[in-house]
Amino acid sequence: MAVYKAVALVSKLTQAGAVVKVMMTESATKFVNPLSFQVMSKHDVYTDTFDEKDSNVIAHIDLADWADLIIVAPATANVIGKLANGIADNMVTTTLLATTKPVWIAPAMNVHMYEHPAVIRNIDRLYKDGIRFIEPSAGFLACGYVGKGRLEEPEKITALVAAFFQPKKLPLKGKKVIVSAGPTLERIDPVRYLSNFSSGKMGFAMAEAARDLGADVVLVHGPVSIPIPNGMRVISVESAEQMYEAILSEYDKADIVVKAAAVADYRPKHPATQKIKKTSTDQGLELERTTDILASLGAKKTHQLLVGFAAETNDVATYATGKLEKKNADFIIANDVSKTDRGFGSEQNTVTLYGRDFERAFPSMDKKQLAVQLFETILTQSGVAE
Ligand code: PMT
C-alpha cells in the first residue's frame, strides 16, 4: 500500500538531512495513523485546515511559505483532479494552492485509473502549470492488478530530492554568451517594412538557458511581442545592419555566439523617406543583400564557439551541413520550418544539431526545454563542460 511507503519516504528524507513536515488528507488517516508520521518526522502532522496548532500563524499559509519543496506522495486521482481544477477543500489542497514553491506529484493508483482520459488530462494540465511528476513504477498493485501505478520507491524519490537540492553545476560561469533572437525589420518607407514570422521564443529560450548555466548573456533581439528575459544585458535592434553592429561590438569578448535570429537576407535598396504613394499601376521593389552576419562572424572567428541556426523547408540536412562549412560555424541547429507546429512562432520545436563530425536529432519539445538540452550537448561536444 502506497501510503505505508510514504512513512518510509519520510524516514529516508529525514535521515538524508531534510526537515519534513507532513500533511494528510482525511482519507489518508484511514490507512495510516498520523502518529506514525509524527514519530518519523518529529514534527506535528497537519490533517485539518482549521486545526491551528500555533495561534500566531495560519498553518496552511505558514507551511506553504516554509517549504522549499512540496511532494504529494502518494497522489491519488482525486487530489490530482482537485489540484488541476484549483479546488482547496482540505489541508493538502489548500496548502498546495497557497504555495509558490516547487511541487512534485508522485501518482499511485490502479493502472486503469492512471490511464483514464480524465486523469491524463489533469496530469497534462498540472504539467503545463509547472508541476513536476515522479512517474509511478510498474509492478504488482495493491488492488491485485499488475501494471503502472505503483508509488515510486522511497529510495528513488529521496535520491531525486537530494539531486534537486545539489548546488547546480554552472558550466558557463564566467563565460560571455551572445544570443541573437527574433526577426529583423527592413524599412520600405516610414510606414511599411519587410520582416518575417520569428517570435523570438527560440532565441530567448537559448539566452535563458545560457543564463541558467551561469553565463553572462548579451541578448540582441529584433522587434518582438513576448516578454524580455531578465538576468541578462539586452540590446534591442530593428534592422539586420543594426543587429550586425550590435553583435560585432560584443564579439571580441564573447566565448559563445548563438545566432537564433531570423535575419533578413534582403532589404529595400532605396528605402523612401516619405510614404510611397500608391498609383494606378503595379510597383516594383528593388532589394539588395544584407550582411550575412553569421558568415562575417565565421570569417572573424578566433576563440569563439559559433552556433548558427538553419531554417529550411526542404533538404534540411544538406543545407544545414552546407552552412556549417560555408560560414565556418562550429554547430548548426537545423529546423524544418515548413510545418506550422514547429519553428516560427510555435511553443515547440524539432531540431537536429550538426557539428563538424557530429549529428543529433532531438524529439519535438518545448523550446525552453530544448534550449537547455542543446546547450548541454554543445558544451559536452565542444569540451566546455564535462
Ligand atoms: O523566433 P521563433 O518564432 O521561436 O522561431 C525560431 C526560428 C525558426 C526563427 C529559429 O529556430 C531559426 O531557425 N532561426 C534562424 C532563422 C534563419 O534566418 O535561418 P537561415 O537559414 O535563413 O539563416 C541561417 C543562419 O544565418 C541563422 O543563424 C541566421 O541567424 C544567420 N543569418 C542569416 C541571414 C543573415 N543576413 N545573417 C545571418 O546571420
Side-chain angles (χ1 to χ4, degrees):
M1 180 63 68
V3 71
Y4 300 132
K5 277 185 174 178
V7 178
L9 175 60
V10 171
S11 170
K12 293 201 177 305
L13 287 171
T14 307
Q15 288 167 38
V19 177
V20 183
K21 291 185 181 178
V22 178
M23 302 180 288
M24 298 174 78
T25 60
E26 193 187 331
S27 311
T29 61
K30 295 191 182 348
F31 291 97
V32 176
N33 187 320
L35 192 58
S36 306
F37 286 112
Q38 184 177 313
V39 166
M40 285 298 165
S41 66
K42 300 181 181 53
H43 282 280
D44 287 334
V45 176
Y46 300 83
T47 59
D48 176 352
T49 314
F50 304 105
D51 172 16
E52 297 295 353
K53 301 179 191 306
D54 173 352
S55 53
N56 295 314
V57 295
I58 297 175
H60 66 275
I61 303 296
D62 185 50
L63 279 175
D65 295 342
W66 170 83
D68 295 306
L69 172 66
I70 298 183
I71 303 175
V72 185
T76 59
N78 184 40
V79 79
I80 289 170
K82 284 181 177 177
L83 194 55
N85 292 281
I87 293 169
D89 62 354
N90 60 40
M91 186 67 195
V92 171
T93 52
T94 308
T95 305
L96 286 170
L97 270 197
T99 193
T100 58
K101 305 295 178 59
V103 174
W104 291 3
I105 288 186
M109 63 192 81
N110 167 276
V111 57
H112 297 314
M113 291 173 76
Y114 191 63
E115 290 166 354
H116 190 286
V119 174
I120 292 169
R121 219 173 21 247
N122 288 332
I123 287 176
D124 186 50
R125 179 183 289 185
L126 287 173
Y127 189 83
K128 287 195 172 91
D129 290 347
I131 284 180
R132 291 299 170 258
F133 286 82
I134 299 172
E135 284 286 298
S137 52
F140 188 77
L141 303 171
C143 52
Y145 280 82
V146 177
K148 191 168 186 180
R150 277 161 63 100
L151 176 66
E152 184 51 276
E153 293 311 312
E155 295 76 5
K156 176 79 183 292
I157 298 175
T158 304
L160 288 171
V161 173
F164 177 74
F165 286 110
Q166 282 297 336
K168 297 268 182 303
K169 283 186 293 185
L170 296 175
L172 287 180
K173 192 150 187 58
K175 302 282 186 188
K176 177 173 175 178
V177 177
I178 302 174
V179 178
S180 72
T184 63
L185 181 156
E186 312 301 332
R187 288 176 180 263
I188 298 170
D189 65 21
V191 298
R192 300 178 182 96
Y193 61 80
L194 298 175
S195 190
N196 59 63
F197 293 111
S198 171
S199 65
K201 288 173 189 167
M202 189 73 244
F204 282 21
M206 294 301 284
E208 288 166 337
R211 172 201 64 196
D212 296 346
L213 288 166
D216 297 320
V217 177
V218 178
L219 170 64
V220 181
H221 71 87
V224 294
S225 55
I226 57 174
I228 305 299
N230 54 35
M232 59 187 75
R233 195 147 57 85
V234 177
I235 304 174
S236 171
V237 297
E238 187 175 277
S239 69
E241 213 47 41
Q242 289 168 357
M243 184 171 277
Y244 178 49
E245 294 305 326
I247 293 174
L248 215 50
S249 68
E250 303 285 340
Y251 190 50
D252 287 349
K253 297 183 290 300
D255 296 293
I256 301 175
V257 179
V258 179
K259 296 282 292 75
V263 186
D265 290 322
Y266 291 92
R267 64 171 169 243
K269 189 162 188 172
H270 306 294
T273 52
Q274 264 133 29
K275 182 186 171 188
I276 299 168
K277 303 308 283 176
K278 60 177 175 291
T279 63
S280 58
T281 59
D282 291 349
Q283 294 204 29
L285 182 61
E286 193 181 3
L287 301 178
E288 65 180 359
R289 280 303 310 271
T290 59
T291 306
D292 185 332
I293 304 173
L294 181 61
S296 303
L297 298 177
K300 298 175 190 327
K301 191 171 75 172
T302 52
H303 62 286
Q304 296 87 347
L305 190 72
L306 190 53
V307 182
F309 271 73
E312 309 297 346
T313 54
N314 55 292
D315 303 323
V316 178
T318 310
Y319 286 125
T321 46
K323 282 177 178 159
L324 194 66
E325 300 298 329
K326 253 194 344 261
K327 306 197 178 189
N328 192 25
D330 298 290
F331 291 92
I332 287 282
I333 299 166
N335 41 192
D336 174 349
V337 294
S338 64
K339 301 182 176 61
T340 52
D341 66 340
R342 61 191 70 165
F344 286 97
S346 59
E347 292 305 319
Q348 304 211 322
N349 205 359
T350 312
V351 305
T352 299
L353 175 67
Y354 294 95
R356 291 293 166 166
D357 49 9
F358 170 81
E359 178 178 331
R360 180 178 166 193
F362 290 80
S364 180
M365 69 179 86
D366 181 85
K367 284 176 177 174
K368 289 181 185 290
Q369 201 183 350
L370 176 62
V372 174
Q373 293 195 24
L374 281 166
F375 253 112
E376 287 173 346
T377 308
I378 287 168
L379 295 181
T380 307
Q381 284 301 319
S382 56
V384 172
E386 63 282 357

